[in-house]
Structure formats: structure tokens, C-alpha cells
Amino acid sequence: MRVAEQDARVPIRPPLITNPWTVAWLGLVLAGPLSLLVLPGDATTPGVLALFAVFAAFVAAESINLQFEIRRHTFYCSASEVVFVLALVEIGGLWTAVTRAVAVALVLVAQHVPAAKTVYNVAVATIEVCVAVALLELLPVGTIDSPATWLCYLLAIVAADVVGALLVVGAITATHGNPGRAVWTGVFGPIVMVGPVAVLVGLAILLLLDVTGWAVVLMAPLLVALGLLYRHFASVTRKGRSVQRVYDFARLVEQVPPDEAGTRQIVDAVRDLLNAERVALWLPPYLDEEPRLVVSAENGDAWYDGPGDPDDLFRRLAVADGGGPVMVSLGRADDAETAALARRGVSELLAAPVMTAAGEPGYLEVCDRRSDVLSFAESDRVALDTMLTHVNAAIRHQQLLSQIRYDADHDRLTGLPNRQRLAAEIDQLLSADPLGARAGLILAALGNYTEVTDTLGHAASDELLLVTAGLLREHAPPQALLARMEGEQFAVLLPGLSLAATERAARRLREAASTRARVAGLDLEVTLTIGVAAAPVHGTDSGTLMQRADVALLAAADSGGVASYHPVLDQQSLRRLQLGTELEQAMADGQISVVYQPIIDAQTSDIVSVETLVRWSHPRYGQIPPEDFIHLAEQIGRIGAVTDHVLDLALARCRRWLDQDIALSVAVNLSVHSLTEPDLVTRIARALQKHGVPGELLTLELTEGSVVDDSVRDSTVLEDLHALGLRLSMDDFGTGYSSLSQLRQLPIDEVKIDKSFVLTMSTSQGESFIARSIIELAHNLGLRVVAEGVEDELTRNALTEMGCDKLQGFLVSRPLPDDRLESWLLARTGVRSVAPGATHRRLFVRT
């Protein structure tokens, strides 16, 4: 066993010796006296031919070896024990030590091993011979044809190997600290597996030679064949290890998190796989992310000159070359390549492009192998080429999730942060300094947005929104955060401003944005109505601050266009209080009802389900938005009653269809608060039993937030619901922070692509790409996909071509109350005969 280089990483225990020559001299100091003490007693006078033959055999045995690396450790495993036992028997211990030491020195010098390590390895080889000779003098060694003699030689040489291995590990420990379990395994594994076999082969040769000298004629070609076979085995072993390492790399990349830490893990894995000093990955700008350079280096550097430069020679070569990774070494480099290597301070390099979703390729480079002996070879270039497939997939997956998260936090039309992102920014700002933080919030609404939409259409109103967003960007203070809320509303967050300063900023902003703009060929006036709230006087969290800015906005129309929040204006609080007290009675009186929106099979146009949507028609306030009273029900602890009410209406409707021999499932939305109720599963099972509806005709739609909520994931509620036979669907997928890979661990049957991705598919390639990616990934996980928000034939055809399973949207039907749904079914659908194996008929949309 030989060691070519030792690990320079931060050790578990600090090293005792820092200079490798100190270890080399210690080895000589130990080998010299031991040789004088042991070897002269075993001196013989062999013939010159025998000496030359043994020396040549030692050179051949030490040259044909199996190299393997553990970080900076390069180990050589050879079958030199074959020659070792032959030499001890034929030429004696003294000349065995001489010929073996010279052979080891010659081979290591030819392999360009550093001088200090060469000296130490020669000393170790000499000590091994001394140990074997000393043990043979103590053991009852007889003639070579005696089994007892065989055992003596086996014990002596294996013991010598163990001592040599301990010296190697001792040198590593002394110079670099505790090397770890992998090094111990790498050193002692070959002693157990190869050493005894090699000794037995040597003894067999001696037995044949003892019978007849002509055995050399038979043994010479056999030994050559065994040497070639061992060399081939070494090559196959190296390739096998390379394949295994690439496989391990692929598994690791599959499990990395889709964030910056995951990118660093990928870079670290590339460096470990190729045993490199340094690896750098440059990624181009994407969405709101700046260009990134991720470096994994032996010395801990986070940056170095070269890979981040777009004009760098290697980066241009890698991106321009379509034949895979580029390999450059100092010995074969031209002047320009030599300069580029010197710029990095390295002697060899592998460079390759990385495919990204940004359109511009990224760049990966691997610098310098961590070995004084081995350098990058063609096998490393091939391994990197194989790894790139997994790196590209991981980077694109991360960027796809970044796109989904970016879209969840930003308005698609204007590119501004949306309400969700604004709320997060407000909470982060205020929580950073709970006592002293100040911030102003401006809520601005376009005065003529509804009229433009009604008269000129959505395209014109979208253009007006873009103009307004541009005006706000231009005139808002530099430190302001702009956001698009919903409809005609925008928000401006002003960190550090008091209420008075926010009011002044609001008036200036309104005056600056009041102008005329060319929209749809017409000159339209841009007017803003503004509501103002400020922290901490009006609230210390995002929800309160935005609600009170909204209250102020309602009053701004009568206050010269700008109004600040005041408790007197807070009729919204009184309204919410009244609604909370009326919730139960509203369900009893039928004010809270449901409407149904059909969902069709994308391929057959069969109506496969209807989504049940709750509505509240209040005698005083009119139609209450569902998000208002659902949120209210959650806050006052009545969401369970609302869920039961909606479920009862939906299952009653489903039962009436079953009585008509029609199978049509119903979908009901569940909030995260419902999922945390301990009796939810029992109540749903009771409702199914009450109406006599099989579980497969009920689908429960869950939001992303509820599915990934810790309290839900740590319980068995989803599994218990699924056990009832009903289906679980993830609603509005793509707007939250989950990933499809998380769904493997959950009993989810389908995902619904959020309508924000679907509505603009016909005009945006980006949305089409996201929709296609979600469909493909979901199908790979065995999930069905529903697209909601389908409003035109072009979008329907595109989704059908992508393989989307179900469609929902205004193109099929608007949400309809029970009586109008019956009329719609009579007018627009036909009845399909009972399919083989089915028990009920199905409806389909007539074209």
C-alpha cells in the first residue's frame, strides 16, 4: 500500500507535524536501525541473475497497481506480495529489502511523486521487509513443501503489510490530523482482500519451481497474463467507481432544495466527484435575481477572477463549443490559454456550458485535481459531461420554481409586487424594529378604470394600468416599494415616513400622476383616488395597515381625492361585526347558498364534475365577496359550520343526479382551518352516509398553504380523508411555495393550475411554458391536472394538446345557481350511455 498525497482539509484534530520532510526523516530513522538489527542475520549471496529477476519483478509489480482516491489521498494497491514471498525464499531478507526499496523508489520517481513522500514510502517498504524477516526468524519455518511453512510466510507478510499500513495512516494523521474512516477502509481493505491471495500465488510458484526449474516456462506467460488481467481489473474498477459516483451525484442532485443552498450543494458535489481543488458555477440574471457566481474551493474562497467575466477565454470556448466540456492543461495550452490559467492560478481546467431557463447559458468550470500524481483525464471529461445532464435539469427545475414563486409574488401585467408580496414586505419592515419602525402606506385607485373596461374592453384597461404603473414608478420616492393590488388599485409603501410625511407624499404623487395618456387611440385622463395609513399609529401589521388604508380609500372620493384613516371612517369594522353575528341565521334563511361551475374532460367533453362555490346575498349589503365572509368565519371559529352547510348542499345536489342515474361528482373547497378540526373526517363521512353518495363522487379542493401547513402535514387528516374514497385536489397550484416533489409524500389525486397562468396563455409563451411544465411534472407523479380560467378556444386547444385532463372556466360555463344549472344541462348537454363496467350514465357538452 502506498500513499501519494495527503488531505489538506481542516482536520478533526490539528496536525502534529506540518513539514512532510520531518515525516520522511522519521521514517528513515526508524528504518535504518531496524535494518541493521534484523537484516544482516538473514544475509545470503544470491546470483546476479536472481537479483536482477527479483528486481524486475518488483518494478513490474509496483507499476501494475490499482489507484484510488479519497479526497487528497491517492492510494496504490498492488499484488507485490507475490514477488515479496518469492524474494524472501530465493534471495533472503537483506537483498529483498535492497531490491524492493530501489524498485519502489524508481517507480515513484517515474510517477512524479514528491521527493519527501518517495523517501517515506521507501522507508516503509524497508520496514515491511524487516518485520517479515523478524517474524520468520521467530516462527518454525521449514521446507517450502510444508503447510506449516506456508502459514508462516502468510502470517509474516500480512503482518508486514499491517505495519506498513499503520505507518501510512500514522504519517497522514501526523501531518494532517485525523483522516477519517474512509482512509482507514481504503488502507486496510486491500490488505484483507488482496494480500493473502498474492502470498498464496507466490507460494504456489515456489512449489512448482521446487519440482522443476522448467516451471519458469509455464509460469512466465501465466504471470504476464495475471498482470494484464489485474491491470484490466484496475481499469474496470476505476470505471465502475466513476459510474457509481455519477449515480450518487444524480441522486444527490435530485434531493437538493430548490434554492441558493441547493445550488451550492450541487457545486460541492461536482468538486467532490471530480476530486477538484475548486469549482465555480456562474448563472445569468433571471427574473429579479442578479447574476450569481457560486464557488466551492478547497481554501474556502467565495470568489476568484475568471469565471464571472463574460470575455474570459475558457468561458467563451465552453459556450461556443457544442461538443461537451472543454479540457485544458498547462502542458498542452497555447499562450492565450496559459494566460487564462495563470489568471486563475491553476494548471488544469474543465469548462462546460450550463443550460438555463433564462435564455443565456450559464458556465461551470472545474480547476485542478487534488493530487500531486493524478490529473484530469478523458474519463473525467466524460464524467462531467454526464453530470451536466443532471446539473442542467436541477438548475432548470430551480428556475421553474423561481418563476412560479416570482409569479406568485408579482402582478403579471405590470411586473410589480402583488398584495401578498406587499404584506410580507410590510411585516418584515415593522418586525425589524417593533418599537421604532415607521412606515406610510398609500393605496391608490384609478378613477375611470371601470368605465374604460366597460366601453373599450380589457385590452384598453390593461394599457391604462401599464401607463399608471409607469407614472407611479417615475414619481414615487426612490425608497418606495410599489405594488399592484387588484383591479384598479395600486399601493406605495414608504419606509421611515410619519403620517404627516406620508400625506404630503400622497398629494405630490397624485398631482404628478394626474395627466392625460394615449390609450387605445384616445387621450384619456389619469386620475387617482388615494387612501393613506401609517404605522404605528394605524396598525403594526400588514393586515391592519392595508385594511385601514382601504377604509381611507373609500372616503377619499369625498375628501378631495386624498384621505387618511380615522376610526370614524371604520364602518368596515361595524359591518364585519354585524356579518359575524348574522352568519348562522344567514345559512338557516338560505341567504348563504351555492353555485356550481361545470368541469369537463378535455378529451371527451364529458362533464366530470362541478365545483361548488359559496355565495352570500345579504339583504342590506348585497353580494358579500366569499373571501370576506370565509375569512370572517375562520376568525370567529364558524368555518366548520359553513363547510358543513356547503357540503350538505353539494351532496344533496349529487344525490339528485344519482337518482336520475347520472354520475356527476361535486367538488368542495376546504380551508386550512377546517383541516385542523379534529372531527372533520367524521363529519364528512357522516354527510356522505346521510346522502348516500359514494366517496369517489366527492372531491375536496385544498389550497397549497393548507397542504404544506405543518399542523396538517404532521397529522393523518389527509390520509384519513383519502381513506373515505374521496379525491383530494390541490387548488390554485403555482401561487404558493410548494413544489410538485412535495406531493409525492401526500395523498393528492390532482392539481389545479391557477387561472392566473391560464388566462394569458394565448398571448404569453412564458405562461404556456409554465402550464406545460406543471402538466408534465404532475403526470410523471401520477396526478391528474385541471386548468381553471379557460375562456377561449385557443387556450382550450393548447391545454388539450399539452395533455391537460380537465378544463374549467367561462368557455364551458360561468358559475350557475341550482335552477339555472338544470336549465343549462338540459340545453347544452347530452346523456352518454352507461359505459362497460360503470353503473351510471354520464353527461357531455354538445358542440
Side-chain angles (χ1 to χ4, degrees):
M1 177 64 63
R2 304 283 175 262
V3 61
E5 188 177 348
Q6 297 152 5
D7 199 345
R9 289 192 174 202
V10 178
I12 299 174
R13 189 173 57 197
L16 301 174
I17 301 172
T18 57
N19 188 346
W21 275 108
T22 303
V23 176
W25 287 115
L26 288 175
L28 290 177
V29 168
L30 181 61
L34 191 61
S35 300
L36 293 176
L37 181 65
V38 174
L39 296 180
D42 193 43
T44 60
T45 307
V48 176
L49 183 60
L51 283 174
F52 180 78
V54 169
F55 172 72
F58 268 127
V59 170
E62 295 292 343
S63 299
I64 303 175
N65 51 52
L66 174 62
Q67 296 176 343
F68 58 97
E69 296 174 290
I70 303 176
R71 293 180 180 171
R72 276 187 177 267
H73 304 287
T74 304
F75 296 105
Y76 300 90
C77 173
S78 69
S80 60
E81 288 83 358
V82 174
V83 185
F84 197 175
V85 68
L86 290 173
L88 288 174
V89 173
E90 296 297 330
I91 64 174
L94 175 63
W95 289 105
T96 297
V98 172
T99 53
R100 192 182 190 205
V102 175
V104 168
L106 183 65
V107 170
L108 294 183
V109 169
Q111 293 176 344
H112 306 290
V113 173
K117 297 183 181 68
T118 299
V119 170
Y120 186 74
N121 282 325
V122 169
V124 169
T126 304
I127 292 171
E128 289 177 351
V129 175
C130 292
V131 170
V133 171
L135 286 175
L136 289 173
E137 289 178 354
L138 297 175
L139 294 171
V141 180
T143 58
I144 197 63
D145 58 353
S146 169
T149 301
W150 305 342
L151 182 60
C152 292
Y153 276 103
L154 180 62
L155 292 174
I157 294 178
V158 170
D161 284 345
V162 171
V163 171
L166 289 173
L167 289 171
V168 168
V169 176
I172 295 173
T173 304
T175 55
H176 296 94
N178 189 347
R181 181 184 301 176
V183 171
W184 287 92
T185 303
V187 170
F188 285 96
I191 293 176
V192 175
M193 299 177 65
V194 178
V197 175
V199 172
L200 296 177
V201 171
L203 291 170
I205 294 173
L206 287 170
L207 286 172
L208 290 174
L209 291 175
D210 189 53
V211 173
T212 173
W214 287 104
V216 174
V217 178
L218 295 176
M219 297 305 301
L222 181 59
L223 288 175
V224 171
L226 286 174
L228 294 176
L229 183 62
Y230 187 77
R231 188 170 184 175
H232 178 70
F233 168 74
S235 175
V236 171
T237 302
R238 283 193 296 270
K239 291 179 181 177
R241 284 199 307 270
S242 178
V243 171
Q244 181 61 42
R245 290 162 72 190
V246 170
Y247 173 73
D248 293 340
F249 174 83
R251 294 194 61 185
L252 183 147
V253 168
E254 286 180 357
Q255 299 170 4
V256 298
D259 52 22
E260 188 168 346
T263 306
R264 176 160 294 281
Q265 288 183 31
I266 293 173
V267 175
D268 290 340
V270 172
R271 187 164 76 91
D272 287 341
L273 181 78
L274 294 176
N275 202 29
E277 290 277 357
R278 184 195 304 160
V279 173
L281 173 65
W282 180 87
L283 294 174
Y286 186 66
L287 301 175
D288 57 350
E289 298 175 355
E290 296 295 323
R292 286 191 295 156
L293 180 64
V294 183
V295 175
S296 175
E298 184 76 13
N299 57 10
D301 286 347
W303 180 91
Y304 66 94
D305 193 20
D309 182 5
D311 296 323
D312 177 72
L313 173 64
F314 295 140
R315 182 167 154 183
R316 286 191 287 108
L317 283 175
V319 172
D321 183 63
V326 176
M327 184 166 62
V328 181
S329 62
L330 192 60
R332 299 181 179 180
D334 57 28
D335 292 341
E337 292 171 342
T338 301
L341 290 171
R343 177 184 188 183
R344 293 163 168 79
V346 301
S347 60
E348 57 179 346
L349 176 141
L350 292 168
V354 174
M355 298 299 103
T356 72
E360 180 182 357
Y363 172 67
L364 178 71
E365 71 174 32
V366 185
C367 301
D368 281 350
R369 198 178 190 110
R370 289 184 291 183
S371 173
D372 283 349
V373 178
L374 302 178
S375 58
F376 290 136
E378 178 63 19
S379 60
D380 297 304
R381 194 190 73 82
V382 173
L384 179 59
D385 196 20
T386 303
M387 283 188 288
L388 282 175
T389 303
H390 305 288
V391 173
N392 291 339
I395 295 299
R396 290 177 69 88
H397 177 62
Q398 288 182 359
Q399 291 181 330
L400 172 60
L401 292 179
S402 296
Q403 175 78 58
I404 292 174
R405 291 171 180 170
Y406 179 88
D407 290 341
D409 276 349
H410 290 78
D411 174 58
R412 299 196 182 277
L413 179 65
T414 62
L416 293 174
N418 59 14
R419 176 184 286 271
Q420 176 177 300
R421 175 67 177 275
L422 175 67
E425 293 287 344
I426 293 173
D427 287 334
Q428 181 179 356
L429 175 65
L430 298 182
S431 62
D433 184 8
L435 298 178
R438 297 193 304 177
L441 179 63
I442 294 173
L443 200 60
L446 269 169
N448 55 347
Y449 175 80
T450 302
E451 291 80 359
V452 171
T453 303
D454 292 342
T455 56
L456 300 178
H458 287 286
S461 60
D462 286 349
E463 190 176 347
L464 180 61
L465 288 171
L466 289 170
V467 169
T468 305
L471 291 170
L472 291 174
R473 284 191 182 100
E474 181 180 355
H475 297 292
Q479 77 276 17
L481 171 70
L482 270 66
R484 163 92 189 281
M485 306 299 274
E486 55 276 320
E488 72 277 19
Q489 292 186 4
F490 292 86
V492 183
L493 177 64
L494 300 168
L497 266 63
S498 64
L499 176 59
T502 304
E503 290 172 339
R504 291 193 295 269
R507 291 189 176 90
R508 288 195 300 266
L509 188 61
R510 184 173 186 271
E511 292 173 3
S514 297
T515 183
R516 298 188 70 84
R518 191 76 174 173
V519 175
L522 301 174
D523 287 328
L524 301 180
E525 186 173 357
V526 179
T527 58
L528 296 177
T529 303
I530 292 179
V532 174
V537 293
H538 293 151
T540 56
D541 63 87
S542 60
T544 303
L545 206 59
M546 290 192 291
Q547 184 267 332
R548 292 181 171 173
D550 198 28
V551 170
L553 180 63
L554 294 175
D558 301 324
S559 306
V562 177
S564 296
Y565 171 79
H566 190 278
V568 174
L569 303 175
D570 204 358
Q571 296 299 321
Q572 185 73 13
S573 296
L574 296 175
R575 177 174 177 266
R576 284 172 58 83
L577 180 60
Q578 181 179 354
L579 292 177
T581 60
E582 296 176 354
L583 192 63
E584 290 282 355
Q585 191 61 42
M587 289 188 285
D589 294 343
Q591 295 176 21
I592 296 181
S593 60
V594 295
V595 294
Y596 304 95
Q597 188 171 30
I599 302 173
I600 66 170
D601 187 289
Q603 303 297 327
T604 66
S605 293
D606 284 2
I607 301 178
V608 293
S609 181
V610 292
E611 181 176 3
T612 310
L613 304 169
V614 66
R615 297 289 186 264
W616 187 352
S617 180
H618 194 278
R620 178 180 175 187
Y621 299 120
Q623 294 294 331
I624 311 292
E627 59 269 18
D628 287 357
F629 68 84
I630 292 297
H631 181 59
L632 175 62
E634 291 175 339
Q635 288 185 321
I636 65 176
R638 302 306 299 156
I639 188 62
V642 175
T643 300
D644 291 345
H645 180 67
V646 173
L647 188 63
D648 187 68
L649 294 174
L651 292 178
R653 176 68 272 185
C654 186
R655 179 67 257 174
R656 290 197 294 273
W657 280 318
L658 285 174
D659 292 340
Q660 300 171 28
D661 198 27
I662 294 174
L664 191 55
S665 68
V666 290
V668 175
N669 291 277
L670 284 186
S671 77
V672 64
H673 292 77
S674 295
L675 288 172
T676 58
E677 294 174 336
D679 62 341
L680 174 68
V681 177
T682 302
R683 287 171 16 228
I684 292 178
R686 189 184 306 125
L688 288 169
Q689 184 178 11
K690 171 187 173 183
H691 293 283
V693 174
E696 62 265 21
L697 292 182
L698 174 62
T699 299
L700 297 181
E701 296 191 359
L702 319 170
T703 63
E704 282 192 80
S706 66
V707 170
V708 300
D709 184 86
D710 290 338
S711 61
V712 174
R713 297 185 66 182
D714 293 340
S715 71
T716 62
V717 61
L718 296 181
E719 289 77 6
D720 294 342
L721 289 171
H722 207 261
L724 296 177
L726 50 80
R727 299 178 184 276
L728 298 180
S729 174
M730 180 180 280
D731 197 12
D732 301 333
F733 182 80
T735 61
Y737 288 87
S738 67
S739 66
L740 283 169
S741 60
Q742 290 178 287
L743 303 188
R744 301 184 199 178
Q745 307 165 13
L746 300 170
I748 301 296
D749 299 289
E750 69 179 23
V751 296
K752 295 186 75 172
I753 306 175
D754 185 62
K755 62 183 177 182
S756 60
F757 295 108
V758 177
L759 286 172
T760 56
M761 275 183 52
S762 59
T763 58
S764 171
Q765 290 185 349
E767 312 307 329
S768 295
F769 170 75
I770 293 174
R772 184 183 296 274
S773 299
I774 292 175
I775 291 169
E776 291 177 355
L777 291 172
H779 284 170
N780 288 339
L781 294 175
L783 304 176
R784 296 177 68 83
V785 182
V786 183
E788 53 182 344
V790 181
E791 297 189 358
D792 56 72
E793 289 288 350
L794 189 61
T795 303
R796 171 180 179 159
N797 294 338
L799 288 166
T800 303
E801 183 271 330
M802 292 177 189
C804 185
D805 302 293
K806 305 176 186 178
L807 305 176
Q808 177 182 359
F810 286 0
L811 180 66
V812 179
S813 173
R814 293 176 179 273
L816 301 172
D818 195 359
D819 55 345
R820 291 184 57 194
L821 177 65
E822 281 296 309
S823 301
W824 184 87
L825 291 174
L826 289 172
R828 295 286 307 277
T829 66
V831 179
R832 202 182 297 279
S833 301
V834 178
T839 57
H840 299 283
R841 299 177 297 167
R842 302 195 68 120
L843 299 178
F844 66 93
V845 178
R846 289 197 295 261
T847 56

